[in-house]
Amino acid sequence: MSVVRVAFTQATWTGDKESMIQLHEDWTRKAAAEGAQIIGFQELFYGPYFGITQDTKYYEYAETVPGPTTDRFSALAKELGIVIVLPIYEEDQPGVLYNTAAVIDADGTLLGTYRKHHIPHLPKFWEKFYFRPGNQGYPVFETAVGKIGVNICYDRHFPEGWRVLALNGAEIVFNPNATAPGISNKLWEVEQPAAAIANGYYVVANNRVGLEDNEYGDEAVNFYGSSYAVGPDGNYVGDVGSTTEDQLLIRDLDLDVIRTTRERWQFFRDRRPDAYGPIVAP
């Protein structure tokens, strides 16, 4: 198929896991009813963004894959015939935890996972307390709607991962985020469009939205939403999402634009991997 109807979400933490899951189930049904063929949720979608603090109680949000949440959304994907990109907190074994996105095909098959590679450890983003760095490379998943990759939040600051996804054949890369105001506002505007241009594919970038003061009080971060889809030509597909409101966004992505853009610019013909050794030097 050439045109893929993509849905993506931005949500405020409700205060409990079940209501977050139910919200996203409802959004998935609504998206499917409007013709969406794939939907992606925000980073760690069923919980608060717990990197605000360092507290072992948040380990309780971790689940195995397969596990209860992947099983629940696999059944939903099969029922609706929709592909789902499902960011969760993964427990590989006790004490071995990852920031992960599971990719579920339209027939309910769990195709695999992507584990976030780059783990920040900065004020209010204390992620090394919660996650090990990803160790599964940059897989691209052959889904019912095309070749799907994932890059999670802080990964977007590192151009190498975007390029590996392109070399692995990605057509659409989902980039779920928990991004807060500050210097990141400008980066949010330029990084994903730049990655889409440099690599000749679509990027779907979604961000949490709203103040999680129901969890963190005065320490809470006010996430700014502004979710969007951007094409290989660097242009937004439709409008950018709200900075303050929960939203389900739906956009039509024409995959033929990938070929047209790549043949015009020829970045893959002209790249020089023989000259890039210093990039991976220790």
Side-chain angles (χ1 to χ4, degrees):
M1 63 187 70
S2 175
V3 176
V4 176
R5 181 159 289 183
V6 172
F8 48 105
T9 66
Q10 56 178 52
T12 304
W13 168 235
T14 58
D16 71 276
K17 179 177 178 179
E18 176 56 32
S19 64
M20 288 297 284
I21 290 175
Q22 188 60 58
L23 171 65
H24 287 78
E25 283 188 345
D26 293 344
W27 268 341
T28 303
R29 292 186 183 280
K30 186 174 188 296
E34 295 184 25
Q37 298 152 289
I38 182 169
I39 187 168
F41 304 153
Q42 66 200 24
E43 184 180 19
L44 301 167
F45 86 97
Y46 59 62
Y49 176 71
F50 40 75
I52 300 301
T53 61
Q54 299 182 77
D55 193 327
T56 58
K57 72 180 183 181
Y58 292 108
Y59 294 157
E60 296 175 4
Y61 282 89
E63 298 185 4
T64 59
V65 178
T69 300
T70 53
D71 288 350
R72 186 166 171 174
F73 280 90
S74 290
L76 186 65
K78 183 176 181 179
E79 175 192 343
L80 300 175
I82 191 170
V83 180
I84 301 176
V85 179
L86 190 75
I88 67 168
Y89 191 13
E90 179 194 1
E91 180 181 276
D92 185 46
Q93 55 179 282
V96 181
L97 307 171
Y98 296 95
N99 189 333
T100 294
V103 178
I104 300 167
D105 211 353
D107 63 358
T109 301
L110 177 60
L111 296 177
T113 58
Y114 169 73
R115 291 170 172 167
K116 183 175 181 177
H117 274 74
H118 304 93
I119 310 299
H121 206 63
L122 303 162
K124 295 195 175 182
F125 291 89
W126 303 116
E127 292 195 14
K128 284 184 168 66
F129 186 82
Y130 297 102
F131 312 121
R132 289 189 63 184
N135 56 2
Q136 297 175 320
Y138 291 91
V140 170
F141 302 95
E142 294 271 2
T143 77
V145 298
K147 298 175 181 177
I148 303 301
V150 184
N151 227 12
I152 298 176
C153 199
Y154 194 62
D155 285 332
R156 75 177 191 270
H157 304 311
F158 301 85
E160 296 83 2
W162 293 112
R163 177 50 55 88
V164 175
L165 285 165
L167 295 175
N168 287 342
E171 296 170 304
I172 305 171
V173 176
F174 282 80
N175 179 220
N177 287 266
T179 294
I183 191 172
S184 82
N185 288 77
K186 186 61 178 179
L187 302 183
W188 183 257
E189 294 174 6
V190 300
E191 281 183 322
Q192 293 95 321
I197 292 167
N199 295 291
Y201 50 43
Y202 285 93
V203 175
V204 176
N206 55 333
N207 185 24
R208 302 173 79 97
V209 70
L211 188 66
E212 300 191 349
D213 54 350
N214 54 352
E215 186 76 25
Y216 298 111
D218 292 341
E219 291 187 87
V221 163
N222 194 10
F223 296 103
Y224 57 77
S226 306
S227 302
Y228 61 81
V230 61
D233 53 6
N235 292 317
Y236 292 133
V237 181
D239 295 331
V240 174
S242 168
T243 60
T244 58
E245 302 297 324
D246 287 16
Q247 273 188 306
L248 168 68
L249 300 102
I250 298 177
R251 303 288 184 265
D252 290 335
L253 310 186
D254 185 354
L255 300 187
D256 284 346
V257 175
I258 295 172
R259 177 178 293 276
T260 301
T261 305
R262 288 187 178 190
E263 289 180 349
R264 179 187 305 132
W265 286 106
Q266 292 295 348
F267 293 151
F268 287 84
R269 181 194 66 195
D270 297 336
R271 58 188 295 273
R272 288 286 308 279
D274 59 295
Y276 303 153
I279 290 174
V280 294

